[in-house]
Amino acid sequence: MPKQTHKKKRVPFGSKGFLVTCHRNRESNSFKEVKALISQHSEQVEFEGSIEEQIKQEMEHLNKKDIEMFDIVECQYFVETQMDPNVLGQKILSDIKSSGKKQTRYTQKLIPIVLTCHAVKDDIVKNTAELIESMLPKDATFCLVSKSRNNSSFNSLELKDWVMPLIKDRKVDYEHPDVTVVCNVVQLVCFIGFIRECNQKLSTLNLETLVSP
């Protein structure tokens, strides 16, 4: 009988959630940790609008029997959420940091992503430009984190050259930015994030270093 192969589920364009980095061959273990973190903190987060409805939607999303992580490459996957990943992510990271207790064993980084899109120049520029207008105030300082991995069409430097002109009227600050702009391309997907109020260890979004000396 032929051995069954695991069919990867493609990351849907137009989604928000978390880009997760984990230890090698521990994607499934990491996913269980991330799902638990999201479930644990969803009810603690304050949102504008209908809080009850957003929590209900998130819990229904988490409790679906067919909920899966979206495999990307080794040691990296994507988890889609209904809630604002910035608010939820900040809550998770802040709680871990304040408690001083390590809450994950296999999960390394948890990067909030506000939009996924097709990794082609036109789509990246269009979507990033639109998000900049709504998520990056004119008087805010920023730093850009752009990477291209497993994509033969363009490299990280080219990606940076496409995005930087879109933010040229804002002030760059790589030490203490008001907003960290994330533009990560992995294979055929671009993951775009605008991470607010980052500082030192929190800016690394690394769950392991948050509680290290």
Side-chain angles (χ1 to χ4, degrees), residues 6-9 31 35 61 64-71 77-80:
H6 173 63
K7 186 177 181 180
K8 289 187 177 182
K9 193 172 181 181
F31 175 59
K35 188 176 178 181
H61 181 69
K64 284 181 181 178
K65 291 182 179 179
D66 62 345
I67 185 171
E68 296 180 55
M69 63 182 179
F70 296 93
D71 292 302
Y77 62 91
F78 179 73
V79 175
E80 185 179 17

Side-chain angles (χ1 to χ4, degrees), residues 137-207:
K138 295 284 187 181
D139 58 348
T141 59
F142 79 95
C143 74
L144 173 63
V145 178
S146 58
K147 296 179 182 178
S148 180
R149 180 183 179 191
N150 288 44
N151 185 300
S152 59
S153 299
F154 53 87
N155 57 37
S156 298
L157 183 58
E158 289 174 293
L159 180 61
K160 181 178 179 180
D161 289 342
W162 296 344
V163 177
M164 278 301 287
L166 305 175
I167 331 174
K168 61 183 178 182
D169 55 343
R170 275 81 165 178
K171 185 179 179 181
V172 179
D173 185 345
Y174 282 98
E175 294 296 325
H176 302 285
D178 297 320
V179 180
T180 299
V181 180
V182 176
C183 196
N184 279 3
V185 166
V186 187
Q187 295 183 336
L188 298 177
V189 185
C190 180
F191 299 88
I192 306 171
F194 290 78
I195 306 165
R196 301 183 293 269
E197 300 176 0
C198 289
N199 58 68
Q200 297 180 0
K201 286 189 176 182
L202 278 181
S203 68
T204 69
L205 306 173
N206 192 315
L207 305 187

Side-chain angles (χ1 to χ4, degrees), residues 18-24 27 30 34 74-78 106-111 149 184 205 207-208:
F18 294 98
L19 183 60
V20 185
T21 302
C22 64
H23 292 290
R24 180 171 293 178
E27 289 84 357
S30 170
V34 171
E74 188 177 42
C75 303
Q76 199 166 48
Y77 62 91
F78 179 73
Y106 305 106
T107 306
Q108 295 174 305
K109 286 191 177 184
L110 197 66
I111 305 173
R149 180 183 179 191
N184 279 3
L205 306 173
L207 305 187
E208 296 180 329

